Amino acid sequence: MSNNNRNGDGTASYGVGEVATRFQVAVSTLHWWEKQGLLTPARHAGRRVYGDTDLRRIALIQLLQGTAMMSLPEIAALLAGGTADRDWRTAVGQRLAVCDEQLARLTSARAYLAHMLTCPSEHPVDTCPYLAEEIDAYLAITPDG
């Protein structure tokens, strides 16, 4: 992203297309984030103009989505800080609880799959006693079982 776009006060400014290209998102994504209150680009002659602060905000949104797996409402709560109607700690705590649940499910799935690989048979569905027990237990808890 070129820094050739300087305002009269020396600050950088970028158009929506340039910003979308820089962050590899659709222009409509930036517009949606603005509509959701996550971004507030300046307007110049009716066009959106993004400054360095906006670029940092976009980078943060992408980090929170990609690394923390946060939703836009959760990100909005975090960006808002502590307010009367939103508590960022609640949003982060809820996301952490979801991560813990997903981690537990993945750990269980991994153990299950690893156990299946220990079966010496070429047909574990037919001959694995562990899998047979699991199937029986599953059938016992299903409504028609």
Side-chain angles (χ1 to χ4, degrees), residues 3 19 21 28 37-38 43-44 48 70 79 86 91 93 96 108 113:
N3 234 359
V19 172
T21 299
S28 60
L38 303 175
R43 300 278 181 164
H44 181 69
R48 291 170 177 85
M70 293 180 77
L79 293 174
R86 286 187 180 164
L96 185 59
S108 177
L113 294 169

Side-chain angles (χ1 to χ4, degrees), residues 7 11-14 19 41-42 49-58:
N7 295 324
T11 60
S13 66
Y14 311 96
V19 172
V49 179
Y50 297 83
D52 290 333
T53 301
D54 298 310
L55 300 186
R56 292 186 64 78
R57 171 76 56 116
I58 293 166

